[in-house]
Amino acid sequence: MVTRGLGVLIVAAMATACGRTTDRAATSTTPAAVSSSAQPGDGLPSWNDGPARRAILDFVRRVTREGTADFVPPPARIAVFDNDGTLWAEQPIYVQLAFALDRVKALAPQHPEWKQKQPFKGILEGDHNAVAAAGERGLLEIMAVTHTGNTTDEFAKVVSEWLGSAKHPTIGRPYTELVYQPMLEVLTYLRANGFKTFIVSGGGVEFMRPWTERVYGVPPEQVIGSRARVQYEVKDGHPALRRLAAIDLVDDKAGKPVGIHQVIGRRPIAAFGNSDGDFEMLEWTTSAAGPHFGLIVHHTDAAREWAYDRASHIGTLARGLDEAGKRGWTVVDMRQDWKVIYPLQK
Amino acid sequence: MVTRGLGVLIVAAMATACGRTTDRAATSTTPAAVSSSAQPGDGLPSWNDGPARRAILDFVRRVTREGTADFVPPPARIAVFDNDGTLWAEQPIYVQLAFALDRVKALAPQHPEWKQKQPFKGILEGDHNAVAAAGERGLLEIMAVTHTGNTTDEFAKVVSEWLGSAKHPTIGRPYTELVYQPMLEVLTYLRANGFKTFIVSGGGVEFMRPWTERVYGVPPEQVIGSRARVQYEVKDGHPALRRLAAIDLVDDKAGKPVGIHQVIGRRPIAAFGNSDGDFEMLEWTTSAAGPHFGLIVHHTDAAREWAYDRASHIGTLARGLDEAGKRGWTVVDMRQDWKVIYPLQK
């Protein structure tokens, strides 16, 4: 796979390119990876008692108490979650980028010219410097050849197959097992209290939909993400949707409220993120007149996960930290607040 | 309001323009307009016994019978409905166009220049010939000034207020009462059998979302339609989504499978439409490998509603009629199959 050094370089390019190319994170359709231990009524068993846990519980109690001013009827209980770094690990590189690099290797036999052409040559030869040297333009080429041209059904199949065998480069577990147990419990707890949970990710929507229902309990129609344009076509009587090399939505930063509006059509009352890419989603959600809730997962646990914020190329978190206090957002201290990070290994 | 003659002219332009401008049909947030008399188990009480009713009941029984080859698990029971002419009346002009014309009158005091400028002058003076003479370009101007520039919250409010007072030009009832009782029963019946029901309309999504939950039981996040681009902006600390004068999706014809893919992310198993604008949605839905169902509402009832198909500028239906048989789609003969058209008047 990719070394951490190269990963950071590529992701630095990608974080920029992400504004124009398709997306980020990825995943699986493999053996059921995750068991959420939270049952309705349990509260949040993997959370240590503290201000973050109490803020979540208090908010949910407040909006579900009928006959009070803060009561929110179930249809309006919309909660949105970022994916990379909020629901699953995003280090050392976005999963979707790992997918793209592996995909180049898988497609190489059909592209003999790649042996002579950067950045593909570098990927195939494990020459990380060459890949990094190709920069943002090289990254866009990688994304284009690995993410477009096929049909939506074909792409979903490729994603599922890859996630069925790929392993995290340092932890060695399938990516879909590297989801945050405490956040799975939040999802379950909210749904048990009448919330509809949506994912709103900068990552590619078609990269998430094949597995979010199994892993998070979030069905495809509740997943919003960056997306390529697709085109309806009928060949020999068989209709398909073809993925074009053009961006339809960059669901990041100010694009997140736009994606939310396009798909959900009303303002959420709770938003969960981890980086400044989620800032506008949190701002939009917590500017509503009625009750609302915003939460940032702060990666503070270098021992059990990763510790990063302002200086990180992945999941940069600066403005969110600066303004969380005055905006009333809850900041999770991963090291303090979470008893466990990932679900128990099967 | 607009005479039928003018209506047809404008809509002819609009049907073309629709490929580029925002949308079509519209509605309300007014007094609860509709009572669906169908209860789970009732079947479809406003449907006469016949091949159409039996086809619906048979399909639902087939996919809900556990342990059989045709069983479809509830999460995959996705049903999509066109709106104009499928769930509510679209004659003599699309409701959204009636809204646009009324909106010009409401905005006129802020635009003294309109007294001298077509097509606005014609609308304000009731000079239908002048409006019609402005053609497609005039129509696009009308749509631009009535549908863009404000925020999404403002637009929703305007739509709701208009529908609270507007009446159908010939029937004299609020538009949201001119929904088809037999189709309300289909919506209810499907939901009672574990289906998730979506609207997929060529009309503007923001024109429908304010009222579809109340009238159809379809929440905003299950409404797909044509849409303007929106932009996130923060002024004096207050975020809003502004509606721009640019089209983001034309959810008609081959745009319907695209809209379905963007929002739902999986292929429906049942599709209901009435015009050739729904052809690709029906084709996409009924090309799936598993069980599937397609239905066309054929407007055959000149006495109780309208009778139109191939020659109509609104709701043109030709290819659908030609190919329904070979594609196994059910065609509803409104005059024969429906006991009533609209819900009882309150």
Side-chain angles (χ1 to χ4, degrees):
Chain A
M1 187 75 52
V2 195
T3 68
R4 177 112 189 211
L6 172 65
V8 169
L9 277 175
I10 288 194
V11 168
M14 187 148 185
T16 320
C18 233
R20 268 155 289 152
T21 189
T22 313
D23 11 15
R24 305 196 303 210
T27 343
S28 149
T29 276
T30 24
V34 166
S35 68
S36 166
S37 64
Q39 296 303 317
D42 270 0
L44 303 167
S46 297
W47 290 68
N48 286 314
D49 187 40
R53 181 176 189 273
R54 281 198 296 270
I56 299 167
L57 297 174
D58 287 351
F59 173 72
V60 171
R61 278 191 210 109
R62 200 150 60 82
V63 299
T64 54
R65 203 174 292 147
E66 268 187 274
T68 67
D70 282 347
F71 177 74
V72 176
R77 292 181 202 159
I78 304 286
V80 288
F81 291 79
D82 170 57
N83 185 40
D84 300 312
T86 298
L87 294 180
W88 78 349
E90 61 184 349
Q91 298 281 5
I93 60 167
Y94 295 122
V95 183
Q96 190 164 351
L97 179 56
F99 163 80
L101 298 177
D102 277 1
R103 191 77 194 128
V104 165
K105 294 173 196 160
L107 291 170
Q110 299 158 46
H111 295 272
E113 75 279 12
W114 286 356
K115 284 186 186 156
Q116 310 304 329
K117 192 186 171 196
Q118 295 295 4
F120 307 104
K121 184 169 184 284
I123 295 171
L124 299 175
E125 294 174 354
D127 177 358
H128 302 155
N129 292 331
V131 179
E136 186 181 325
R137 185 176 170 159
L139 182 66
L140 289 173
E141 278 189 83
I142 294 168
M143 294 305 285
V145 301
T146 56
H147 280 73
T148 65
N150 48 8
T151 70
T152 55
D153 286 348
E154 287 162 357
F155 186 73
K157 189 162 172 280
V158 167
V159 170
S160 296
E161 285 173 356
W162 181 78
L163 281 163
S165 61
K167 298 264 167 63
H168 188 279
T170 61
I171 305 176
R173 292 175 65 179
Y175 289 104
T176 46
E177 293 185 15
L178 301 180
V179 295
Y180 303 133
Q181 176 64 30
M183 295 305 289
L184 295 179
E185 293 170 7
V186 173
L187 285 166
T188 305
Y189 177 68
L190 288 177
R191 289 194 292 260
N193 281 281
F195 279 77
K196 206 165 181 174
T197 53
F198 288 79
I199 290 168
V200 180
S201 169
V205 66
E206 300 198 45
F207 225 84
M208 297 182 283
R209 280 175 167 162
W211 53 274
T212 54
E213 188 154 27
R214 177 178 59 81
V215 174
Y216 298 139
V218 176
E221 63 269 25
Q222 287 162 225
V223 181
I224 304 169
S226 296
R227 57 175 188 255
R229 281 181 59 195
V230 299
Q231 179 177 290
Y232 185 74
E233 61 179 30
V234 182
K235 280 189 180 161
D236 303 327
H238 299 289
L241 291 165
R242 187 158 298 278
R243 291 169 55 85
L244 306 180
I247 301 306
D248 196 64
L249 173 70
V250 178
D251 191 51
D252 199 26
K253 301 190 172 72
K256 288 205 175 194
V258 172
I260 288 168
H261 183 72
Q262 286 181 353
V263 175
I264 306 179
R266 51 182 157 194
R267 206 189 293 217
I269 66 166
F272 300 78
N274 78 299
S275 81
D276 284 350
D278 305 312
F279 190 91
E280 287 83 356
M281 175 173 81
L282 283 155
E283 180 179 59
W284 175 238
T285 300
T286 61
S287 299
H292 49 253
F293 184 77
L295 182 146
I296 294 173
V297 174
H298 188 193
H299 292 263
T300 53
D301 196 328
R304 296 185 301 170
E305 207 242 4
W306 284 270
Y308 59 98
D309 46 42
R310 296 172 191 276
S312 175
H313 290 297
I314 302 176
T316 314
L317 176 65
R319 191 179 173 197
L321 282 181
D322 293 338
E323 300 194 18
K326 77 172 189 200
R327 291 177 181 265
W329 300 344
T330 295
V331 177
V332 171
D333 181 336
M334 197 183 262
R335 194 166 63 87
Q336 295 288 339
D337 288 321
W338 289 2
K339 291 181 188 166
V340 298
I341 307 289
Y342 307 122
L344 287 179
Q345 216 154 353
K346 296 268 164 93
Chain B
M1 188 73 51
V2 196
T3 66
R4 178 111 190 212
L6 173 64
V8 170
L9 278 173
I10 289 192
V11 168
M14 187 149 184
T16 319
C18 233
R20 267 155 291 154
T21 189
T22 313
D23 12 11
R24 308 197 303 211
T27 345
S28 147
T29 276
T30 26
V34 165
S35 67
S36 167
S37 64
Q39 297 302 317
D42 269 0
L44 303 167
S46 297
W47 290 68
N48 286 314
D49 186 40
R53 181 175 188 274
R54 281 198 295 270
I56 299 167
L57 297 174
D58 286 351
F59 173 72
V60 172
R61 277 192 210 110
R62 200 150 61 85
V63 298
T64 54
R65 203 175 291 148
E66 268 187 271
T68 68
D70 283 347
F71 177 74
V72 176
R77 292 182 202 158
I78 304 285
V80 288
F81 291 79
D82 170 57
N83 185 40
D84 299 313
T86 298
L87 294 179
W88 77 348
E90 61 184 349
Q91 299 280 4
I93 59 168
Y94 294 122
V95 184
Q96 191 165 349
L97 179 57
F99 164 81
L101 297 176
D102 277 3
R103 192 77 193 130
V104 166
K105 293 173 196 160
L107 292 171
Q110 299 158 46
H111 296 272
E113 74 279 10
W114 286 356
K115 285 185 185 155
Q116 309 304 327
K117 191 186 172 197
Q118 296 295 6
F120 307 104
K121 184 169 185 282
I123 296 171
L124 299 175
E125 295 174 353
D127 178 356
H128 301 155
N129 291 331
V131 180
E136 186 182 324
R137 185 177 169 157
L139 182 65
L140 289 173
E141 279 189 83
I142 294 168
M143 295 305 285
V145 301
T146 58
H147 280 73
T148 65
N150 48 9
T151 69
T152 55
D153 286 348
E154 288 162 357
F155 186 74
K157 189 162 172 281
V158 167
V159 170
S160 296
E161 285 173 356
W162 182 77
L163 282 163
S165 61
K167 297 267 168 62
H168 188 278
T170 61
I171 305 176
R173 292 174 67 176
Y175 289 104
T176 46
E177 293 186 15
L178 301 181
V179 295
Y180 303 133
Q181 176 62 29
M183 295 304 290
L184 295 179
E185 294 170 7
V186 172
L187 285 166
T188 305
Y189 177 67
L190 289 177
R191 289 194 293 262
N193 281 281
F195 280 77
K196 207 163 180 175
T197 53
F198 287 79
I199 291 169
V200 180
S201 171
V205 65
E206 299 198 44
F207 226 84
M208 297 182 281
R209 280 175 166 160
W211 54 274
T212 54
E213 188 154 28
R214 177 178 60 80
V215 174
Y216 299 138
V218 177
E221 64 269 23
Q222 287 164 224
V223 181
I224 304 168
S226 297
R227 57 176 189 254
R229 283 182 56 193
V230 299
Q231 180 177 290
Y232 185 72
E233 62 179 30
V234 182
K235 281 189 180 161
D236 304 326
H238 298 289
L241 291 165
R242 188 158 298 279
R243 290 169 56 83
L244 307 180
I247 301 305
D248 195 64
L249 173 70
V250 178
D251 191 51
D252 199 28
K253 300 189 173 72
K256 289 203 173 193
V258 172
I260 287 169
H261 184 71
Q262 286 181 353
V263 175
I264 305 178
R266 52 181 156 193
R267 206 190 292 217
I269 65 165
F272 300 78
N274 79 297
S275 81
D276 283 349
D278 305 312
F279 191 91
E280 286 83 356
M281 174 173 80
L282 283 155
E283 180 179 59
W284 176 238
T285 301
T286 61
S287 298
H292 49 254
F293 184 77
L295 181 147
I296 293 174
V297 174
H298 188 194
H299 292 264
T300 53
D301 197 328
R304 296 185 301 172
E305 207 243 4
W306 284 271
Y308 59 98
D309 46 43
R310 295 174 191 275
S312 176
H313 290 297
I314 302 174
T316 315
L317 177 65
R319 192 179 173 198
L321 282 181
D322 293 339
E323 300 193 17
K326 78 171 187 200
R327 289 176 180 267
W329 298 346
T330 295
V331 178
V332 171
D333 180 335
M334 195 183 263
R335 194 166 64 87
Q336 295 288 339
D337 288 320
W338 288 3
K339 290 181 187 166
V340 298
I341 305 290
Y342 306 123
L344 285 179
Q345 216 154 352
K346 297 265 166 97

